[in-house]
Amino acid sequence: MVKELKGIAASDGIAIAKAYLLVEPDLSFDKTEVADTEAEVKRFQDAVAVSGSELGKIRDIAKESLGEDKAQIFDAHLLVLNDPELITPISENITNNKVNAESALQETTDMFIGMFESMDNEYMRERAADIRDVRKRVLSHLLNVTIPNPALIDEEVVVVAKDLTPSDTAQLNRNFVKGFVTDIGGRTSHSAIMARSLEIPAVVGTGEITHDTKEGQMIIVDGLEGNVIIDPTADQIAHYEKVKSDFAAQQAEWNKLKNEATVSKDGHHVELGANIGTPEDLTGVIANGGEAVGLYRTEFLYMGRENFPTEEEQYEAYKAVLSGMDGKAVVVRTLDIGGDKTLPYLDLPHEMNPFLGFRAIRLCFANKDLFRTQLRALLRASVHGNLKIMFPMIATVNEFRQAKALLEDAKAELLAEGVAVSDTIELGIMIEIPAAAILADQFAKEVDFFSIGTNDLIQYTMAADRMNEQVSYLYQPYNPSILRLVKMVIDAAHKEGKWAGMCGEMAGDQTAVPLLLGMGLDEFSMSASSILKSRSLIKRLDRTEMAKLADEALQQATEEDVVALVNKYTAE
Ligand code: PEP
Ligand code: MG
């Protein structure tokens, strides 16, 4: 039966395909006593054998579709599964204690996991994570429950999930995943941001999609308006096929602006950059006529893997982006882990408020070796292009000074080793904490540039979690309070002769763009897929008029008033 849901439009485009449910299975069980321990051991061994052949299959497919790197994780799982030192004690536990295979598996693996996790050795801690994954697989076979294997997707699907973590998203094969829909999340949750960079249509925050959808049901994802239709009628499919082709025609029109500069009607040039997460995203930046990389979220380099990337690996990635941009600016943001971005191999404390907690630069200050490795890799790569470095989540001027000092230490170290480092690297900060926005005049004396991170700035200013659809009504980019902060930051930068950019999602928002242009923003960095439509818009706008419009917007009381003002102007 047809069911329609409303969510938050997270990534443009229309997808029509079968549902693939990516949901955590229920693996709960009771501890029981068994009489026939021999049969129970056999049941356990069978589950191990099936898990082994399944893992082998996943590894082969992953190698082909996602590459050797991503497939390695499954090799590690196979090693665990074939390790007699782990498997034999489980069988013995069943025999000696007459317990069911599920609880023997749980108890014995808990012991090993506890032991490995307490070791001061990164390699051993990773083995603990492997054991957890393997245990889950064997348990699913014992309980006859299917666990989803996204690496096995080999036909066109719409992925349906409660939420997608950035590392889940990183593992999706864009050839087959045509769209995705989630229960929770907002427009600026990182899964939504990644969907935009992969150019996969997405709707997030539907509340109940996982509850309403069955595996294999047809789904329409309308990432333009935030609608989802489960089990659509033939008429609905025909309608959306038409919307899809109209959207493609519109994109073809925008595409004509690919090699043009971004100049307003009255001749004012601004820079339209792209936000990227991996060197592979450069293809999209170039295809969409990006004039710079305004935000390289380096944390994605640390995700979807089992250990920290080495200095060499990082150097190669940064070099690829810098040389790929061929002298155009590349703003690289240092590691911003925490909040909704976690690493399986980095044990972060469980926090009540992870977005207010131990994340980004705070975490780097506490893990100086980790930070130093990244800074060295960046500095080494600096000779391959136009590098600008920025620090995330800066709240105080002293934090900036400390980060800068660590960068200078790393530079001195490299120079002493005889390694060449560019001496024209600009150094900036993200403005995403209200304290930094309010004190922008002081920061502007010490930094080379600002990049306004509205995704976080809005959540901290409005005290509304960017991931939480229940409070998404408070997530108001056009609220005059936000606009005033943005204006303060731009003015403070200009007063000191510095430039101000924006790399939050607001920079590519079609209602915000006229206001930002009017407020004097120098650089707009957005999902690559938003660049051409923003260029098309800016070419139709007069910057002097937009300055007046922005001044008027700053004097409004509500977000609705601001939107009405902009709409009135654009309708004229
Ligand atoms: C931001 O906060 O606006 C930003 C660009 O950073 P992130 O979305 O990665 O937190
Ligand atoms: Mg941020």
Side-chain angles (χ1 to χ4, degrees), residues 83 190 244 299 303:
D83 183 355
H190 284 94
K244 191 173 168 181
E299 50 277 7
M303 291 179 186

Side-chain angles (χ1 to χ4, degrees), residues 245-258 532:
S245 64
D246 288 351
F247 182 62
Q250 170 78 82
Q251 281 180 309
E253 218 25 63
W254 289 330
N255 218 18
K256 294 181 184 153
L257 303 175
K258 196 173 128 177
L532 291 171

Side-chain angles (χ1 to χ4, degrees), residues 463-495:
D465 186 340
R466 65 196 263 192
M467 305 282 289
N468 185 341
E469 68 285 354
Q470 310 261 39
V471 294
S472 64
Y473 77 98
L474 281 170
Y475 199 86
Q476 302 184 356
Y478 330 112
N479 188 291
S481 62
I482 303 294
L483 299 179
R484 286 188 190 189
L485 283 178
V486 168
K487 179 78 162 94
M488 267 171 69
V489 173
I490 298 172
D491 288 350
H494 291 172
K495 192 149 172 263

Side-chain angles (χ1 to χ4, degrees), residues 240-300:
Y240 275 102
E241 289 288 4
K242 167 90 173 54
V243 178
K244 191 173 168 181
S245 64
D246 288 351
F247 182 62
Q250 170 78 82
Q251 281 180 309
E253 218 25 63
W254 289 330
N255 218 18
K256 294 181 184 153
L257 303 175
K258 196 173 128 177
N259 299 316
E260 292 193 17
T262 314
V263 183
S264 68
K265 211 161 79 180
D266 52 340
H268 181 79
H269 178 250
V270 291
E271 193 168 70
L272 293 197
N275 296 348
I276 64 167
T278 67
E280 288 82 60
D281 291 342
L282 273 196
T283 323
V285 179
I286 291 160
N288 286 289
E291 293 163 82
V293 167
L295 168 64
Y296 177 3
R297 288 185 167 92
T298 54
E299 50 277 7
F300 291 108

Side-chain angles (χ1 to χ4, degrees), residues 333 336 359 432 456 466:
R333 176 175 77 185
D336 183 3
R359 64 174 285 205
E432 48 190 345
D456 280 317
R466 65 196 263 192

Side-chain angles (χ1 to χ4, degrees), residues 323-369:
S323 43
M325 285 306 285
D326 206 12
K328 294 195 182 97
V330 174
V331 182
V332 181
R333 176 175 77 185
T334 60
L335 187 61
D336 183 3
I337 282 296
D340 62 339
K341 291 173 288 195
T342 53
L343 298 178
Y345 51 89
L346 177 67
D347 246 342
L348 291 175
H350 181 75
E351 294 183 88
M352 293 286 282
N353 293 299
F355 274 104
L356 297 181
F358 190 50
R359 64 174 285 205
I361 199 75
R362 303 163 182 192
L363 191 142
C364 288
F365 287 154
N367 292 277
K368 294 226 170 54
D369 284 347

Side-chain angles (χ1 to χ4, degrees), residues 26 65 82 120 145 231 255 271 296 360 386 401 421 433 447:
D26 178 8
S65 56
N82 291 324
D120 194 20
V145 176
D231 210 2
N255 218 18
E271 193 168 70
Y296 177 3
N386 181 3
R401 290 179 185 156
V421 174
I433 297 182
V447 304

